[in-house]
Amino acid sequence: MTSRSHTRLNRPAADTPGWSDWELARLAVQLRGFAAHADDPVADAARRLEEAFTADELSRADAFLEAGHQDTDRLAAIATRLGKDAVGYEAWLVQQLATAWARLDELRDRIDDGGSLMANTHVASAIDYVRGSRP
């Protein structure tokens, strides 16, 4: 058995099919979190990720995490372009998106702060959120 075929986390070999982007992202966040306690966190994270992922898997995990970031600057630019007196569907959609993002932030905060009070992995998976991935 090679070191790549089995990690401490009991993850199958990196080339084993079937891992979703969400599962890969969860593992990447976890490994980066472990590395934060090392003498050289950047080098330790790189080593851990190289051992656990293929380049394609790491790219998928990072793309998944990046897609979860809200582009509030773009939303603010759209709202500014529309102006305060804007009416119609565009203004309504901007307002609805801002409200949805605020509620999603609150939900993610509750998942991150939930600790052992709930099975937060199930809640996070229901909304494709990777616990602890927010800066």
Side-chain angles (χ1 to χ4, degrees):
M1 178 187 286
T2 66
S3 63
R4 184 173 166 100
S5 66
H6 192 268
T7 68
R8 296 184 344 188
L9 302 170
N10 295 325
R11 183 186 185 283
D15 58 357
T16 300
W19 277 61
S20 69
D21 293 351
W22 179 76
E23 291 169 316
L24 293 171
R26 281 184 59 211
L27 181 57
V29 167
Q30 188 176 22
L31 293 174
R32 287 177 175 134
F34 292 153
H37 304 289
D39 290 336
D40 186 355
V42 175
D44 191 52
R47 181 190 56 77
R48 288 173 185 270
L49 293 170
E50 186 178 331
E51 289 174 358
F53 293 106
T54 63
D56 179 58
E57 287 174 329
L58 185 56
S59 175
R60 285 175 44 205
D62 287 342
F64 182 90
L65 293 169
E66 183 60 36
H69 294 295
Q70 300 168 1
D71 192 351
T72 54
D73 292 337
R74 184 170 182 203
L75 186 60
I78 292 170
T80 300
R81 181 182 53 84
L82 292 174
K84 292 182 180 181
D85 298 328
V87 293
Y89 291 117
E90 285 181 332
W92 181 81
L93 284 171
V94 167
Q95 186 272 330
Q96 292 299 307
L97 185 55
T99 300
W101 279 356
R103 290 179 179 162
L104 185 58
D105 276 343
E106 182 179 343
L107 177 59
R108 289 174 170 173
D109 287 342
R110 289 183 182 197
I111 290 171
D112 282 340
D113 296 339
S116 62
L117 299 176
M118 67 176 180
N120 49 33
T121 299
H122 299 294
V123 177
S125 67
I127 62 167
D128 278 344
Y129 172 62
V130 178
R131 183 172 182 227
S133 63
R134 291 175 23 156

